[in-house]
Amino acid sequence: MYQHVLPNNTDHIHANGHNVPTKAANNGTMCANGSLGAEGPEATETDSSGTGRMRKPLERNGSTQNDAVHLERRLGLFSGVALIVGTMIGSGIFVSPSGLLVRTGSVGVSFVIWLACGVLSLLGALAYAELGTMNTSSGAEWAYFMDAYGPAPAFLFSWVSTLVLKPSQMAIICLSFAQYAVEAFVTECDPPRGVVKMVALVAIVMILFVNCYSVNLGMAVQNVFTAAKLVAVVIVICGGAWKLMQGNTQHLSNAFNGPMPNVGAIATAFYTGLWAYDGWNNLNYVTEEIQNPSKNLPRSIIIGIPLVTLCYALINISYLAAMSPQEMIESEAVAVTFGNRILGAMAWLMPLSVTISTFGSANGTLFAAGRLCFAASREGHLLDILSYVHVRRLTPAPGLIFHSLIASAMVLHGTIDSLIDFFSFTAWIFYGGAMLALIVMRYTKPNYPRPYKVPIIIPVVVLVISIYLVAAPIFETPRIEYLYALLFIFAGLIFYVPFVKLGMTPRFMNKVTLFFQLLLEVVPTSSMAMFE
């Protein structure tokens, strides 16, 4: 059974307990950790930091002919757009509109912030397109931090993202999915919290099964659910247009009446709006599986994010054509209230559409999150088993299961509002770090090939805004939760120094890794590291 699970080659056991298959390469060099060095003068570049490290070619296939198992490039342009749009349009537009109105106190200001969030997401994604075409390895910020700053900051990102950011994002979406799914069957009172959480857990299990079973099935589900949610968006927009043609413009005509919100309120309002746009960087987590990423990554971003921004703007106008700002604030399910007023006997279509939308968003979130685990673990920053791939289905099953377990724990013990605030504050620390990484590498790696390059002003603007989004709430309304978030980030160093920097590994970990390897029928990929 052991030989059935492992590739048929020689296993090299590192001092830190990593199981790495070692192979001979055709016309290539053997790296110390079993990865294959690139050949030819154009395939590598010496790191400008002076360490003499050699980088792999940007446009990697992710495998060689002799590789026993690897992630395949299966995502084309349509699937890339579907992953971006399908992940971004989820629960946010159905949970966030009322929160944005509460924090701004103005219809006009909230609408401006919706548009500004779309523009900011587009600028950030364009900067990520340059980073993603420079380094086409999966892992997004983790890979870029490794390039720009080294292993310690990259580890802190994988530490926070794996344990908090990605699982909390999925937990929020699944809770929203469950809220709307149960709402369709409960009319006289609020849905029982226990039932909502059980439905959210069932959704996590279903999405986990889909993504563990097949990459093609996961993307097929994503494509179908993205198309379905766009139909739901069209229904809302058409209903709003009908109300506007009837002359219901009173809530839009005096949009900027009322006092202007303060600086801190605007920052927290941005958090709420940007949560609805989150997912704009998810395609960067799966670049090893994108066909021709140098072209399809920026194209998917340029098509997907403006489409989402347009949809959000028209949806908000439609909401305000059917209900007052106060009614939106008081509604627990804005889209359902909208459907009850516009669709009449067909009002059930609205909660159904929202559940479809949130399910598709959760599917895309887990699809991307599993690749972060895969990339970071492959470099030894997380447990080895999380970098393994199913021997037949070629899916990163251990990473997907790990994320789902943490998300399930958050579903059982968290609420949507508390999770959104913590997620937004912590996420923008790392988004800003990625912008700084791009700026740093313009100077430390000036000759590095950049198939797609943005004007330097774009990452500078996004970096300044991210600093504002992180700092403004701290100074305006200090809360102990912000300190907890920062302490949690740097607490990762407690694990980084002994287990990554010094390479210490408990003896029992080899047995644990082997147990799960046999249980899950997973194997390590042949290229176990991207950096030397």
Side-chain angles (χ1 to χ4, degrees):
M1 184 175 181
Y2 177 75
Q3 293 177 345
H4 169 73
V5 178
L6 291 175
N8 187 20
N9 54 16
T10 304
D11 287 325
H12 178 65
I13 308 299
H14 281 259
N16 61 2
H18 293 181
N19 291 321
V20 183
T22 303
K23 289 189 176 179
N26 294 329
N27 300 323
T29 60
M30 177 59 65
C31 299
N33 60 0
S35 62
L36 298 177
E39 60 176 325
E42 296 179 359
T44 61
E45 177 184 295
T46 303
D47 194 315
S48 58
S49 64
T51 61
R53 294 188 305 170
M54 302 301 290
R55 283 303 313 275
K56 292 200 172 183
L58 293 175
E59 206 57 75
R60 301 189 306 144
N61 291 325
S63 64
T64 66
Q65 288 182 346
N66 294 327
D67 280 349
V69 62
H70 57 274
L71 296 179
E72 296 179 345
R73 294 195 183 275
R74 305 179 185 179
L75 277 66
L77 178 61
F78 182 82
S79 293
V81 174
L83 183 61
I84 291 175
V85 174
T87 306
M88 291 178 69
I89 302 180
S91 62
I93 189 61
F94 309 110
V95 173
S96 297
S98 56
L100 212 60
L101 285 171
V102 168
R103 294 182 175 183
T104 60
S106 167
V107 170
V109 174
S110 67
F111 189 76
V112 169
I113 290 178
W114 273 112
L115 295 178
C117 288
V119 173
L120 179 59
S121 299
L122 178 60
L123 294 179
L126 291 175
Y128 268 62
E130 176 175 330
L131 292 167
T133 54
M134 283 179 63
N135 182 350
T136 58
S137 302
S138 293
E141 291 94 341
W142 177 85
Y144 313 145
F145 287 7
M146 283 287 289
D147 277 343
Y149 311 130
F155 174 83
L156 292 180
F157 171 76
S158 63
W159 155 263
V160 176
S161 292
T162 302
L163 295 180
V164 177
L165 293 185
K166 291 301 178 183
S168 68
Q169 187 179 14
M170 185 166 183
I172 295 166
I173 297 170
C174 288
L175 282 170
S176 299
F177 163 84
Q179 180 85 20
Y180 278 90
V182 175
E183 185 104 14
F185 301 96
V186 180
T187 57
E188 300 299 328
C189 60
D190 291 334
R193 290 185 62 186
V195 175
V196 169
K197 292 188 175 186
M198 288 301 298
V199 172
L201 292 176
V202 171
I204 291 175
V205 172
M206 293 174 61
I207 293 167
L208 174 62
F209 172 79
V210 166
N211 284 276
C212 286
Y213 186 82
S214 166
V215 172
N216 289 336
L217 178 61
M219 285 315 304
V221 169
Q222 191 65 31
N223 294 343
V224 169
F225 276 71
T226 298
K229 72 177 64 181
L230 288 177
V231 171
V233 167
V234 170
I235 292 174
V236 173
I237 293 172
C238 289
W242 179 64
K243 295 295 288 186
L244 289 175
M245 287 189 293
Q246 291 181 328
N248 293 306
T249 60
Q250 63 271 24
H251 304 309
L252 298 169
S253 57
N254 299 315
F256 289 94
N257 286 353
M260 287 293 295
N262 57 39
V263 173
I266 291 176
T268 54
F270 262 96
Y271 279 171
T272 306
L274 288 169
W275 158 247
Y277 282 95
D278 204 78
W280 51 264
N281 63 331
N282 269 2
L283 197 59
N284 288 67
Y285 286 93
V286 299
T287 45
E288 286 184 33
E289 297 170 75
I290 301 174
Q291 300 168 0
N292 194 5
S294 296
K295 292 183 179 179
N296 284 334
L297 178 59
R299 286 175 180 173
S300 299
I301 289 169
I302 292 170
I303 295 172
I305 296 179
L307 175 61
V308 173
T309 304
L310 177 63
C311 289
Y312 282 2
L314 295 178
I315 286 174
N316 275 281
I317 292 174
S318 298
Y319 284 158
L320 290 167
M323 58 187 108
S324 68
Q326 188 60 38
E327 289 172 326
M328 287 180 62
I329 292 172
E330 293 174 355
S331 175
E332 289 290 329
V334 177
V336 173
T337 303
F338 176 88
N340 290 334
R341 298 202 173 178
I342 300 296
L343 301 179
M346 301 296 290
W348 58 269
L349 283 174
M350 214 61 248
L352 174 63
S353 300
V354 176
T355 54
I356 290 174
S357 177
T358 48
F359 188 89
S361 183
N363 179 76
T365 298
L366 183 62
F367 185 90
R371 275 63 183 176
L372 170 61
C373 260
F374 169 80
S377 302
R378 186 172 54 182
E379 190 64 21
H381 284 194
L382 298 172
L383 297 175
D384 286 352
I385 190 66
L386 299 181
S387 69
Y388 287 14
V389 175
H390 194 276
V391 68
R392 293 186 303 277
R393 305 194 185 281
L394 304 180
T395 57
L400 296 168
I401 294 171
F402 183 74
H403 270 288
S404 299
L405 289 174
I406 300 177
S408 298
M410 290 183 171
V411 164
L412 292 174
H413 299 287
T415 62
I416 291 178
D417 291 336
S418 63
L419 288 172
I420 287 178
D421 286 343
F422 181 83
F423 173 88
S424 300
F425 172 78
T426 312
W428 276 95
I429 294 176
F430 293 112
Y431 292 156
M435 297 302 109
L436 183 60
L438 191 154
I439 297 169
V440 167
M441 287 191 287
R442 286 287 182 93
Y443 295 96
T444 60
K445 302 178 186 294
N447 298 321
Y448 212 103
R450 290 172 169 83
Y452 179 83
K453 189 174 182 179
V454 295
I456 192 65
I457 188 64
I458 288 180
V460 171
V461 168
V462 179
L463 175 60
V464 171
I465 294 175
S466 65
I467 293 172
Y468 163 73
L469 290 174
V470 171
I474 296 176
F475 290 109
E476 185 69 26
T477 54
R479 291 163 52 187
I480 192 66
E481 286 84 355
Y482 297 138
L483 178 61
Y484 290 158
L486 294 175
L487 290 176
F488 182 81
I489 292 173
F490 289 104
L493 294 174
I494 298 173
F495 297 90
Y496 171 77
V497 173
F499 299 119
V500 180
K501 182 71 173 177
L502 301 180
M504 298 170 57
T505 302
R507 290 184 179 181
F508 67 86
M509 282 308 301
N510 282 332
K511 294 182 179 179
V512 171
T513 299
L514 180 59
F515 171 78
F516 284 107
Q517 189 175 357
L518 297 172
L519 177 66
L520 301 175
E521 292 188 309
V522 292
V523 295
T525 57
S526 295
S527 298
M528 288 294 289
M530 293 175 289
F531 307 94
E532 278 303 303

